[in-house]
Each structure stands twice: as C-alpha cells, then as structure tokens.
Amino acid sequence: DIQMTQSPSTLSASVGDRVTITCRASQSISNWLAWYQQKPGKAPKLLIYEASSLESGVPSRFSGSGSGTEFTLTISRLQPDDFATYYCQQYNGYSPYTFGQGTKLEIK
Amino acid sequence: QLQLQESGPGLVKTSETLSLTCTVSGGSISTTDYYWGWIRQPPGKGLEWIGSIHYSAYTYYNPSLKSRVSMSIDTSKNQFSLNLNSLTAADTAVYYCARYSGDLAFDIWGQGTMLTVSS
C-alpha cells in the first residue's frame, strides 16, 4: 500500500496567517491527491482534488500544489472557520486508497 | 442536490456481522461516472477506506479488510450496502458512505453513523 505522511501533526496559527501543510507519498502518485477538511462530529469535506483543483464552492484562499510524492495545502489568510483537521488522500487507481494521519489546525 | 444517508444498528456484539445501508437521494446510483464507497474513522483517529462499488456491481476492497467485507448495490432502491463480519472492538468507528470518481476522489459524503462493537 502507498503510505501517506502529513506534517505537521498539529499546527497553531492565528486568524490572517498563511499556513502550509505537507503530505508525502511513499511512492509516486502523479497528481492523484485530494485534501479534505473535517470539523468535530462532521464528515470530511473535499477541498482540493487532482492535487491542485479547487472543489466547487471552496474559498479561493485554499490552494494545493505538488506532484509525484510531495504535496502541499496552503491557506492564504486563515479565517475562524478554517480551524479544523485536514487530511490528504491518494487515489491512485492501482493501489488501495489511503489517507494521511491528519493535521489539526489550532488557534494560537 | 445529491445526498447520502447511512443507516445501521448502532451497537453490535463481538464476532457478529455488521450490515450498513447507504441511501442515495437527489440523483441516481445507476451512473457509469461514479463509484460508491465506505470509509470509517475510529474515535479520535484517522480515516480508513473500506471499499467501493459500482452500479455494475464491480467491487474493490481494501486488502486489509477484504476477507471480512462484502458490498452490494440495489439500483431499484437507490441504495448500496456494507457487510463486515467477525467484528471486534477494533471495528468500533464512525462509518461514512461517499460518492467517488476517478477525478474528484470522495466528493459527497453522508453524515456518518457510529458503530460500537461490544461483548
């Protein structure tokens, strides 16, 4: 299976900050990478697909980049609603779909 | 607007079999463009993909669960289902159903249903 490793596990930031979360794959997944946001007691919400495509309705302060084995999710100006846990997921069709362990974004 | 809703027993005994159903509303499950999947999340932990099914009944399971999992689809009811046997406490989790495409990953999710496995 392809292992997905996110860093950091926890991130403390303030409203208005620019933050970046990294996701590394144990082998190349081309651009088959998605990012999700999850709030307590809620289902994950798709933010980014194909590594850099913004899901419809998601604010433009969210952006994704990368290909191969290294990917990033950037939030350009944190809003109060953005404090949540973020997961990356690879969906390379030749391997079971796997998620990163999550990054909890906390208010500083 | 497409919506997914899980339904299930809530509490199951150790060694028994779990049956969950996901009802799709606001659209048809019989589409060539999408698969339908199950993902679970143990309390306080991360997400684990369980398996996916197409309306043609093609299935794709996580190898780590494959020996205990089966999925089915009922196009007449616009539902798909998950069976997981030989349950242990490690299967205690929130179970989500979701729509999946090769381009969009899991783009629409149900709200989730909590399953507790207890002796």
Side-chain angles (χ1 to χ4, degrees):
Chain A
D1 295 3
I2 298 174
Q3 306 302 316
M4 306 301 293
T5 304
Q6 289 181 232
S7 60
S9 296
T10 306
L11 179 57
S12 296
S14 301
V15 173
D17 284 354
R18 176 186 179 93
V19 298
T20 297
I21 300 169
T22 297
C23 179
R24 289 185 174 87
S26 59
Q27 64 189 74
S28 178
I29 57 171
S30 184
N31 66 336
W32 299 117
L33 192 283
W35 289 98
Y36 301 88
Q37 177 194 67
Q38 188 179 33
K39 296 182 178 179
K42 300 294 187 181
K45 173 187 173 183
L46 178 66
L47 301 175
I48 302 285
Y49 62 94
E50 289 184 353
S52 60
S53 296
L54 193 67
E55 171 71 341
S56 176
V58 174
S60 59
R61 62 181 180 272
F62 291 91
S63 63
S65 64
S67 66
T69 61
E70 187 150 338
F71 303 86
T72 59
L73 172 71
T74 299
I75 310 173
S76 59
R77 290 176 303 278
L78 274 175
Q79 299 299 301
D81 191 50
D82 299 337
F83 293 95
T85 299
Y86 293 84
Y87 293 93
C88 62
Q89 180 227 340
Q90 66 81 18
Y91 53 110
N92 178 335
Y94 300 100
S95 178
Y97 311 130
T98 47
F99 294 84
Q101 80 278 16
T103 295
K104 186 175 183 179
L105 179 55
E106 299 180 327
I107 300 174
K108 184 183 287 185
Chain B
Q1 182 177 352
L2 194 80
Q3 292 185 319
L4 284 70
Q5 178 68 58
E6 306 89 349
S7 56
L11 178 65
V12 182
K13 292 186 183 299
T14 303
S15 79
E16 291 188 343
T17 297
L18 165 68
S19 293
L20 293 177
T21 296
C22 182
T23 300
V24 179
S25 59
S28 175
I29 202 170
S30 302
T31 171
T32 58
D33 295 334
Y34 295 100
Y35 287 73
W36 308 91
W38 291 97
I39 301 102
R40 69 180 182 179
Q41 185 172 38
K45 296 188 178 180
L47 299 159
E48 180 182 32
W49 170 72
I50 300 170
S52 299
I53 188 167
H54 189 256
Y55 91 98
S56 63
Y58 172 81
T59 55
Y60 181 32
Y61 301 142
N62 189 327
S64 68
L65 296 168
K66 188 174 182 178
S67 64
R68 299 196 291 130
V69 169
S70 65
M71 296 177 62
S72 60
I73 195 162
D74 187 336
T75 55
S76 67
K77 294 182 179 179
N78 233 30
Q79 295 176 333
F80 62 102
S81 299
L82 168 70
N83 280 0
L84 181 65
N85 60 36
S86 303
L87 293 171
T88 71
D91 296 309
T92 293
V94 175
Y95 285 73
Y96 295 100
C97 59
R99 187 179 79 167
Y100 168 83
S101 78
D103 298 325
L104 294 176
F106 293 102
D107 65 333
I108 299 176
W109 295 62
Q111 65 184 24
T113 186
M114 180 68 201
L115 172 77
T116 301
V117 180
S118 175
S119 56

